[in-house]
Amino acid sequence: MAKAMSGAMTGARMVVQALKDQGVDVVFGYPGGAVLPIYDEIFLQNDIRHILVRHEQGAIHMAEGYARSTGKVGVALVTSGPGATNAVTGLTDALLDSIPIVVLSGQVPTFMIGTDGFQEADTVGITRPCTKMNWLVKDTAKLADTIHQAFHVAKSGRPGPVLVDIPKDVQFATAEYTPVQRARTSHYQPRLKGDIDAITAMVEMLETAERPVFYTGGGVINSGSGASQLLREFVEATGFPITSTLMGLGAYPASGKNWLGMLGMHGLYEANLAMHGCDLMINVGARFDDRITGRIKDFSPHSRKVHIDIDASSINKVIRVDVPILGDVGHVLEDALRIWKARGRKVNKEGLAKWWKQIAEWRAVNCLDYKGSTKVIKPQYALQRLEALTKGMDRYITTEVGQHQMWAAQFLGFEAPNRWMTSGGLGTMGYGLPASIGVQIAHPEALVINVAGEASWLMNMQEMGTAMQFRAPVKQFILNNERLGMVRQWQELLHGERYSQSWSESLPDFVKLAEAFGCKGIKVSDPADLDDAILEMIRYDGPVIFDCLVEKHENCFPMIPSGKPHNEMLLGEADTQGVIKAAGAVLV
Amino acid sequence: MSALNIKRGSTSHSAYDLRDPNAEVIESHTLAILVENEPGVLARVIGLFSGRGYNIESLTVAETDHARHLSRITIVTSGTPQVIDQIEAQLRRMVPVHDVHDLTAEGPSVQRELALFKVAGKGEARIEALRLAEIFRAHVVDSTLESFVFEMTGTPEKIDSFADLMRPLGLKEIARTGVAALSRGV
């Protein structure tokens, strides 16, 4: 009996033990009544570092930034009630962007559940639609096993957020610990290998295609660095053009010769027209999001479509495809490359040459062109200078949500996967600052920059305290136009220039704010001073709040208005008069 | 497209189905979903339907495999072929879902529902109710001098027609279980 019970421990200790066994080295969290036993255990050990956040939403976004930049599972720990409800936005964000995170939440003791106890909330009920899976653990004996399951589910198949809700009495009670190797084998084992017949069909199509395009997404990043490597090899070997969604940037290097740039609502002219005009579209780990497709009816009307995805529900959800391939991107690309090589590495050289000639014409439009200024900093210019002055550095970029995010995607180049952390699906303002801290904690020596708008940035600015406390030298590169820029842009184009509530009144003095947090503030408004200011930011050994005052009314182009197809793109101000009809205005 | 020579069902979600996937016609489908018998799993399945705007016309659930800890949820739903495919794919990717069968698409199946009818009346109406019950093979499971409770098992359509007949004869209440269904053959 004594021997059998050798692994007995409290539930709270089990939590810490299970995290260690899962290889976790850092937890982002905030204590509270219902997780105090777990915090006791964290206090008693040194293997797992705890990052104390200032708001639970920050903890989840930090875990996301950590996960996205390392390929590992991010972990957050929150208390019951408000701790858990504050996690909801982050969980939803991670669900839509397929980011693997495990959130542990405290809960009132089992005997108090349902009594409206202090800080009681139906956490599993509230988080059910915004998690890939969640569990309420009522028995300490099942706690370790459930945490192991949680990690398995978070990172298997299409990754996503999971939550384990742990009542306080379960944390206090003692039971036998279940090591990883004795954990229940989950029936949840998504298939990785794609169907060989379907892959062969894709290869046959790409051998003859005249106007092919690779359309890649976040699935390539999630599949691991091997998948990016295979994608690069495939693209180079076939000579096909490649574009990517916002989530997939970096899988193929921005400096690569086949790179068309990002596609979609604010994507590049050549990328969108290539999508519209192609005769073969190879979707690799993307999901035909509405920001990508524009008007469904007119989406890439003349192409045959292949879709590689690990999630069957993504296939044929929005766009019917000709060849669906269910499987992991890395595995499928490996098989596809092997089959294509074995069949003699055939491509339609003549067709491709014509296709590239056409693409060159589209490129010549120079769609990212903007009117420069010597008086005021154009946001595009600020990003071009940031790119030029940080190129080649060990650099990670996070963003908030809005115009600055789109400009960052357009003007910054990503050479490797896991270097670009942004809220794509949910579009969560307030994501970037905490995400940058999560990235910096994972990569202490790297240059981590959050490209932000002043409005988004204010949403989670309390996390500057976290950055200071844990010496995370994150650079907050705020493009300050004193406007909710994207809202303002839509109001200009769609709502008769009625700028309802879209300006930032009573903004703080960001330099003084930086001083209040104990970090460095830099303010710049003259284009002539910009380079020196950026260099000062990079060189400063600590967090910086960089207040870059930019042109207030700049619009983000190119733009495919809602409800329009790819070939009806707006390239600049001159194109915008009266183009958006009522039917488009109801879309978001 | 068949020139591509992709085997039907070569992936779990083939676009090469024989029926027209773009048809706008609304079909009714019966889905059998095997799930882990754990708290919250039913809520997760139901939440999928409400969250994504799918219909539930009927729902039954009970544990069917005690040893493996599995419950069987039978849902009758309706939608265009694309929506039905999407529902199945969405169900299939849920972590606690072990298996999904579209009984309508997979071939012939038997569908049964149990219903209880309370019918109150006197005189000729009461006699007529009893006579019709016999024709429909409904059993009397409770009787007072002024009422019957009939029990009937059958397809939802049969139960609907019996209810229609009972309505003018003093139908007071109906309780229905929802559809249970199995595919025919082995």
Side-chain angles (χ1 to χ4, degrees), chain A residues 142-177:
Chain A
K142 291 181 179 166
L143 178 56
D145 186 68
T146 306
I147 294 174
H148 297 320
Q149 297 291 328
F151 275 84
H152 171 73
V153 169
K155 63 189 176 194
S156 304
R158 180 177 180 172
V162 299
L163 178 139
V164 184
D165 199 26
I166 313 169
K168 198 172 183 180
D169 56 333
V170 172
Q171 299 169 34
F172 276 124
T174 301
E176 186 80 0
Y177 178 74

Side-chain angles (χ1 to χ4, degrees), chain A residues 554-588:
Chain A
E554 192 72 11
N555 282 334
C556 184
F557 292 109
M559 177 182 185
I560 302 173
S562 286
K564 292 280 187 179
H566 283 170
N567 58 343
E568 293 182 34
M569 198 180 320
L570 311 179
L571 283 172
E573 302 292 347
D575 290 340
T576 60
Q577 294 311 313
V579 289
I580 300 169
K581 302 287 183 286
V586 300
L587 301 169
V588 290

Side-chain angles (χ1 to χ4, degrees), chain B residues 48-109:
Chain B
L48 168 74
F49 279 76
S50 61
R52 293 187 184 262
Y54 306 140
N55 297 316
I56 296 180
E57 289 171 4
S58 153
L59 168 82
T60 63
V61 56
E63 187 179 66
T64 51
D65 187 340
H66 186 68
R68 289 169 64 211
H69 210 52
L70 293 179
S71 289
R72 186 181 175 104
I73 300 174
T74 308
I75 290 182
V76 181
T77 184
S78 60
T80 61
Q82 188 165 359
V83 166
I84 300 287
D85 283 354
Q86 184 60 206
I87 292 172
E88 191 181 332
Q90 291 286 354
L91 286 167
R92 220 174 254 292
R93 74 170 179 151
M94 291 187 134
V95 176
V97 170
H98 282 240
D99 209 355
V100 182
H101 288 284
D102 182 340
L103 295 173
T104 309
E106 286 174 13
S109 62

Side-chain angles (χ1 to χ4, degrees), chain A residues 128 131-134 153 158 187-188 191 195 197 201 205 311-313 315-317 320-324 326, chain B residues 1 4 6-7 10-16 21-22 36 40 43-44 82 86 89-90 93 95-98:
Chain A
R128 198 170 282 126
T131 52
K132 189 175 168 187
M133 186 60 194
N134 62 7
V153 169
R158 180 177 180 172
H187 78 95
Y188 180 74
R191 192 169 101 176
D195 180 81
D197 291 346
M205 287 161 105
D311 178 0
S313 75
I315 295 175
N316 293 336
K317 180 174 67 178
R320 302 293 304 191
V321 298
D322 301 283
V323 179
L326 184 63
Chain B
M1 291 208 294
L4 290 170
I6 298 174
K7 264 188 291 182
S10 59
T11 70
S12 79
H13 202 234
S14 174
Y16 289 84
N22 297 313
E36 276 168 40
R44 197 168 264 279
Q82 188 165 359
Q86 184 60 206
Q90 291 286 354
R93 74 170 179 151
V95 176
V97 170
H98 282 240

